Structures are given as structure tokens and as C-alpha cells.
Amino acid sequence: MRRSPLRNRWAALPPAAGGAVMAAGILSVGLDLTGHSLLSLIALAVSCALWLLLAADFAVRLATDRRRFRAEADTPAALTAVAATTVLGTRLCQLGRPDAAAALLVLAALVWPGLLLSVVRHWRRRMPGVVFLGCVATQGLAVLAAALATVHGLDWLARAALACFCLGVLLYVLALRHFDFREVLRGAGDHWVAGGSLAITALAGAKLTASPAGSAAPVHTALRAATLTALGLSLLWYAVLLTAELRSPRPRYDIRRWSTVFPLGMTATACLTTAAATGPARLRPLGEVLLWIAVAAWALTSAAFLLSRRPGRRGPV
């Protein structure tokens, strides 16, 4: 049976495409924090459009191609569905749309346990950077839940966010044991998630310090220390990964390059948010510089994607 062009287009979207939603979404968050409202809304529109496209793709595969759906649900990249949803929800909460953000939190929370268990069961030795997406998805839930808990003053939601934060830290440690460190020099883009997962951990910690869960002095102190530690380690990863990119350039477009843009934007956003939540003022100018690096990386990756789609040129989605 011959497939229609539309069906072929659906089949061309791998789970890793969720990285493009995450990249645009976190840039929207960071641009809003630095006062660039128009650019932030443009990035948000891109993120929303891509999220709707991938949500439709998700539904089509679930309804028409169960075999492929089950096979892809076992791969770490499947967790971009959760992470992308939480990043978009975080931006909507920041925009003053808590009801829409809460709906996305519920959706992400429903999908997260099954995907996480399926993915972790299929972990193996020497995995690429996508192994850290278990941490990213879990900390994404913590970030969005903490943001909503702060808006509505919900203690139970703040405690749930704190539980996700602690689980995310554990998942990072476990993922680090399975990560192939040779990917630092040869990875196609997703190796940057090794540092980006620590950046979103720092962002979750910063959000929790402002939530009801961080109101008690001992908890606030512990969260502040954890946030600054995670951010410091993510900046160390940033330096190592950037040095490796300069030493071993990988200019060819690959869909996993969106998983480079997201950690760049997340590190910038974590610096900006941590500066406001925990006090180190010098983190803000650093975050602003890193944000524009992330914007430049997004522009270059977008251009590379468009060039890869030119007639007569073959390449990944």
C-alpha cells in the first residue's frame, strides 16, 4: 500500500525533534527575563507551533502505527515530549497564563512515569547525551510545578516539585554512570545535555527557593547551596564542551543540534533566574552574554536546517 505524502511527512519526525520545541521555548523564557518581550513572543510562537505539530505527530503514531510508537517510547529521546511540554508551560506561566500552564503540567505528569520507566529499563553502557533526558524531563516537572506553586501558594504542589527535584538529581548521577565520555569529542549535538541537565537542575532549585517549599530557613539554605552547586557544575561542563567543539568542529547539520541549543539557552536562563532568586548579582551579566550566544546558536542551527532541506540535498530532519 502506497503512503500519502502527508503520511510520509509524519513518518519523518523522530522523537528528537522535541529538542527544537525546547530550544525555542527556553530562549523565550530567557529573552523575557532580559526585557526583550517582542523577541520572546516570537520564540514562544515558534515553540507553540512546533509543539502542536509534534503533538499531532504523537497522536497519529499512537493511532496508526503502534509498533513504531512502542519502539520509540523505549528511546531516551521520547522524553523530549515531557521536557518540551514543561518548558512551554513554564513560559506560559511566566506570561500570566497559569491555567494553560497547569493543563500542560497535568499532561506532562501523566506521560512522564510510563516513558521514564520504559527508557530507564533500556539504559545500557556508553550511551550518548540523551541518557540525561530522564533528569531533564523530571527537573522540567519540578520547574513548572514550583512556578505554579508560587503563583497559587500551594504547599502540596511545592512539595511535589521538591520530590521531583531530588529524583532528578538522582537520575543525573545514574545517567552519568551510563554516559560515554568519548561523546564530548565526537557527539552530534546531544552531548551538551550532560551540562544542560545540570542547568535545568539549577533552574528548578532557584524556582523552589521562591516557592512555599523553600520558605523554611534550613530548606532554603539547602536549596540555595544545591542551586549554586548545580549551576557551577553546569558552567564547568559548558567550558569543557565548548573547548571540545573548538578542538573537534562538527559543522554538519544534525537534528541533535537542537539538543545543543537547548542547554545553551538553559544555562543562560539558569544564571538569570539564580541571580534573582539567590543573590549573586554577577550571574546576571553572565546570563545575558550566554543568552545571546544561545540565540546565535539557534539562528545558525535554523539556517543549517533550512539548507539541509534544499532540493537535491539529503540529510536528517
Side-chain angles (χ1 to χ4, degrees):
M1 182 177 178
R2 188 176 180 180
R3 288 188 173 189
S4 69
L6 179 60
R7 181 72 177 276
N8 286 330
R9 186 175 293 274
W10 288 130
L13 291 173
V21 182
M22 297 160 63
I26 198 59
L27 286 181
S28 180
V29 173
L31 287 166
D32 184 72
L33 290 174
T34 53
H36 297 89
S37 301
L38 179 58
L39 290 176
S40 175
L41 290 175
I42 292 172
L44 175 60
V46 171
S47 183
C48 287
L50 292 173
W51 186 87
L52 290 171
L53 176 63
L54 292 175
D57 179 43
F58 185 92
V60 167
R61 276 183 286 142
L62 181 61
T64 64
D65 196 349
R66 294 290 183 89
R67 181 178 297 178
R68 181 189 170 197
F69 181 86
R70 286 192 294 269
E72 291 183 343
D74 294 338
T75 64
L79 285 166
T80 60
V82 177
T85 301
T86 59
V87 170
L88 184 57
T90 299
R91 179 63 184 100
L92 291 175
C93 185
Q94 185 184 42
L95 191 61
R97 299 289 187 272
D99 292 341
L104 290 177
L105 175 61
V106 171
L107 178 60
L110 289 174
V111 175
W112 168 71
L115 283 179
L116 181 64
L117 289 173
S118 179
V119 167
V120 170
R121 284 206 326 264
H122 291 84
W123 273 357
R124 62 185 188 280
R125 291 176 58 84
R126 294 185 176 179
M127 293 187 67
V130 287
V131 70
F132 293 101
L133 282 172
C135 170
V136 172
T138 305
Q139 295 295 16
L141 288 171
V143 170
L144 181 51
L148 286 169
T150 302
V151 170
H152 296 292
L154 299 174
D155 290 341
W156 66 269
L157 187 56
R159 288 194 295 270
L162 182 58
C164 284
F165 175 80
C166 294
L167 177 59
V169 172
L170 175 61
L171 287 169
Y172 182 85
V173 174
L174 294 176
L176 192 64
R177 295 179 57 191
H178 291 81
F179 178 55
D180 184 354
F181 284 88
R182 293 174 296 182
E183 289 288 299
V184 171
L185 290 174
R186 70 184 188 190
D190 55 3
H191 55 294
W192 277 83
V193 186
S197 51
L198 284 171
I200 195 172
T201 298
L203 179 61
K207 291 286 188 182
L208 280 164
T209 59
S211 75
S215 58
V219 177
H220 184 90
T221 301
L223 283 171
R224 185 177 187 275
T227 298
L228 292 175
T229 299
L231 183 58
L233 291 173
S234 73
L235 290 171
L236 179 61
W237 263 114
Y238 194 112
V240 170
L241 292 166
L242 182 59
T243 301
E245 292 279 357
L246 295 174
R247 178 183 173 185
S248 304
R250 286 147 272 182
R252 185 179 178 183
Y253 172 77
D254 189 290
I255 192 171
R256 287 167 289 186
R257 271 304 177 191
W258 295 111
S259 293
T260 297
V261 179
F262 172 72
L264 293 175
M266 180 55 72
T267 305
T269 302
C271 286
L272 294 167
T273 306
T274 302
T278 65
R282 58 192 168 187
L283 286 175
R284 182 169 180 84
L286 174 61
E288 291 174 350
V289 172
L290 296 180
L291 178 63
W292 290 113
I293 293 174
V295 170
W298 182 88
L300 288 172
T301 304
S302 299
F305 167 74
L306 293 175
L307 287 173
S308 73
R309 298 293 90 195
R310 289 171 60 186
R313 297 194 62 172
R314 297 182 62 186
V317 174

